[in-house]
Amino acid sequence: MIIRPFQTSDLLQISEIVASLHPKWFDNNAVVNIPIDAQLGRSFVAQDNKKIKGFIILSSLEGKVWINWIGVDLSFQGQLFGTNLLKHAENILKDLGVKELRVDTVIEQLPADGSYDKTIRFYLKNGFKVVKKYKQRTFNEFVYRRGVMLKKLH
């Protein structure tokens, strides 16, 4: 596995990953915005055998660094692609003097269906803590709450 900076030529493979994760993880907004954000943000891909298996897109707002998007091909989830992308990004951020990394995501979901409950476990396992909770909402049969998770970078 190689983690490397995003290149415009990666867009087709990233779009294929996004399509495979739609609508369970990525909504229509993500389908439209991920290709744009990948080109504007600080973005990295996980590549194995010349095929993109995952991506992470970072941005900064008022000096706070955020994970805009992270996605791993369904066939390769649980094989450390996401973790390695995250660790690569963290190392670069530390070199830049960044002390914290944030993500705004779903932090509670009922019933658990293998989507965001899996995402929440991923972030918790990688050292993120919930620091802000938004109002509970309902979408179709799901009750969920978005929030901000933060990881201190040492």
Side-chain angles (χ1 to χ4, degrees):
M1 173 187 330
I2 298 167
I3 307 295
R4 62 167 176 77
F6 161 84
Q7 300 168 357
T8 307
S9 59
D10 299 328
L11 278 174
L12 178 60
Q13 289 185 67
I14 287 173
S15 294
E16 290 170 355
I17 293 170
V18 172
S20 76
L21 300 175
H22 175 273
K24 197 170 190 175
W25 280 280
F26 291 138
D27 62 10
N28 292 334
N29 174 57
V31 171
V32 170
N33 289 312
I34 287 174
I36 296 167
D37 292 345
Q39 295 174 84
L40 293 175
R42 189 85 184 255
S43 306
F44 303 94
V45 296
Q47 182 177 334
D48 192 39
N49 294 326
K50 298 183 182 182
K51 179 119 172 84
I52 305 297
K53 308 295 188 188
F55 62 90
I56 187 169
I57 302 169
L58 307 171
S59 68
S60 174
L61 179 63
E62 298 177 354
K64 295 179 181 178
V65 179
W66 295 84
I67 297 171
N68 286 50
W69 309 99
I70 187 169
V72 173
D73 183 304
L74 273 175
S75 304
F76 297 94
Q77 290 183 0
Q79 296 180 32
L80 299 178
F81 286 95
T83 298
N84 287 334
L85 280 162
L86 185 58
K87 292 198 180 316
H88 181 82
E90 289 172 7
N91 289 333
I92 287 174
L93 293 172
K94 288 178 198 176
D95 289 346
L96 294 172
V98 175
K99 304 287 186 216
E100 298 175 332
L101 178 58
R102 294 167 173 75
V103 63
D104 183 325
T105 190
V106 173
I107 59 168
E108 296 172 8
Q109 174 192 348
L110 292 172
D113 73 339
S115 61
Y116 275 99
D117 48 310
K118 196 174 183 181
T119 301
I120 297 159
R121 285 193 309 271
F122 169 79
Y123 284 118
L124 291 172
K125 178 184 83 170
N126 283 287
F128 284 78
K129 307 267 188 257
V130 175
V131 294
K132 183 175 186 176
K133 292 182 179 184
Y134 299 113
K135 182 180 171 184
Q136 194 173 60
R137 301 200 180 271
T138 302
F139 177 76
N140 293 337
E141 73 275 12
F142 293 102
V143 176
Y144 72 96
R145 182 185 314 268
R146 293 187 66 85
V148 174
M149 299 181 83
L150 179 132
K151 180 174 183 178
K152 300 270 186 193
L153 305 177
H154 303 284

